[in-house]
């Protein structure tokens, strides 16, 4: 039985998810009693990290869009079964850096695959598990891409090499999802200073925990 809460972190590349999480988790550790688990997709467990290497390899330019989608879905399933569900069953507060919405935004809006089919595959992979809360960090594509450029230490992956119009479609995909599911998805303006973004994110998580 699921006793914990699942919180997913979403946003286009360069939205600053990683920086926000680094500040948010210590603050939460000070204010909640539950154990906090932070993990990421694609990856989080050995099998899914292997799949991640295949997906993001800059040499894999021949990868078909449906192959890409199915690899993300396979990585998701393994990560869920091996790590996320046991943590939720133990009553932990689980944060995943990217989950089902990434497939809809990137492979759906970004790559042009059918949204309904992606949603079916997500449902198949997760047995219908939905996040209790999704923090969507929204940032205009120009700002997101400029941040990636400025952050020289970050590894460059195959998806970072995409042109600005792909990034714009991904953002639009997220905005559409946020409009469709306002109860689950909280949109946070990630073009604001980091401290402000962290404050809003913390407020949303604390509200969820109190309910
Ligand atoms: P990563 O280096 O983790 O990027 P970020 O720090 O922005 O999360 O690489 C993950 C990439 O995979 C990112 O560009 C988004 C993409 N992605 C998809 O296209 N579909 C998915 O279902 C997931 C989970 C990620």
């Amino acid at each position: 039985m699921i006793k914990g809460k699942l919180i997913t972190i979403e946003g286009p590349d360069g939205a600053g998810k990683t920086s926000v999480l680094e500040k948010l988790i210590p603050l939460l550790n000070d204010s909640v009693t539950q154990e906090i688990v932070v993990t990421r997709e694609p990856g989080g467990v050995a099998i899914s990290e292997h799949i991640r290497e295949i997906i993001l390899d800059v040499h894999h330019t021949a990868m078909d869009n449906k192959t890409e989608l199915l690899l993300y879905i396979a990585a998701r399933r393994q990560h869920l079964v091996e790590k996320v569900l046991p943590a939720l069953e133990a009553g932990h507060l689980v944060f995943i850096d990217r989950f089902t919405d990434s497939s809809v935004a990137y492979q759906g809006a970004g790559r042009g695959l059918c949204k309904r089919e992606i949603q079916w595959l997500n449902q198949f992979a997760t047995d219908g598990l939905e996040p209790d809360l999704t923090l969507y960090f929204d940032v205009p594509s120009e700002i997101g891409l400029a941040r990636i450029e400025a952050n020289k230490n970050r590894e460059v992956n195959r998806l970072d090499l995409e042109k600005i119009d792909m990034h714009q479609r991904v953002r639009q995909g997220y905005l559409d999802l946020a409009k469709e599911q306002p109860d689950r998805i909280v949109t946070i303006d990630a073009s604001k200073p980091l401290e402000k973004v962290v404050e809003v994110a913390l407020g949303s998580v604390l509200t969820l925990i109190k309910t």
Side-chain angles (χ1 to χ4, degrees), residues 140-151:
S141 305
E142 295 76 13
I143 297 180
L145 288 173
R147 283 182 183 168
I148 294 171
E149 277 289 302
N151 190 353

Side-chain angles (χ1 to χ4, degrees), residues 13 17 41-42 52 56 72 76 98 102-103 106-107 154 157 159:
D13 293 76
K17 293 181 287 99
E41 278 201 12
R52 175 188 177 92
L56 298 179
Y72 279 116
R76 176 162 306 135
R98 299 197 179 283
S102 280
S103 297
Y106 282 79
Q107 281 64 55
R154 184 179 179 277
N157 67 46
L159 278 94

Side-chain angles (χ1 to χ4, degrees), residues 1-122:
M1 205 190 55
I2 288 178
K3 293 179 284 171
K5 297 246 188 258
L6 176 61
I7 298 166
T8 59
I9 308 295
E10 295 281 359
D13 293 76
K17 293 181 287 99
T18 313
S19 311
V20 175
L21 269 178
E22 271 170 19
K23 297 230 179 277
L24 179 67
I25 300 304
L27 292 172
L28 271 172
N29 264 321
D30 290 342
S31 21
V32 301
T33 51
Q34 295 98 319
E35 187 171 318
I36 298 175
V37 174
V38 183
T39 184
R40 69 161 179 187
E41 278 201 12
V45 293
I47 293 171
S48 305
E49 289 289 339
H50 282 309
I51 299 174
R52 175 188 177 92
E53 282 169 25
I54 298 170
I55 302 173
L56 298 179
D57 190 327
V58 286
H59 300 106
H60 290 173
T61 49
M63 191 179 290
D64 171 76
N65 290 341
K66 287 188 178 176
T67 306
E68 181 183 277
L69 168 65
L70 292 168
L71 287 171
Y72 279 116
I73 297 287
R76 176 162 306 135
R77 172 71 188 170
Q78 188 63 31
H79 178 236
L80 184 88
V81 169
E82 243 191 273
K83 189 165 181 180
V84 177
L85 285 178
L88 288 173
E89 280 157 13
H92 301 333
L93 196 55
V94 182
F95 284 81
I96 318 181
D97 186 347
R98 299 197 179 283
F99 191 53
T100 45
D101 297 328
S102 280
S103 297
V104 176
Y106 282 79
Q107 281 64 55
R111 300 284 196 216
L113 295 179
C114 171
K115 183 172 175 178
R116 236 179 339 100
E117 287 172 348
I118 296 171
Q119 285 174 324
W120 185 87
L121 284 167
N122 272 334

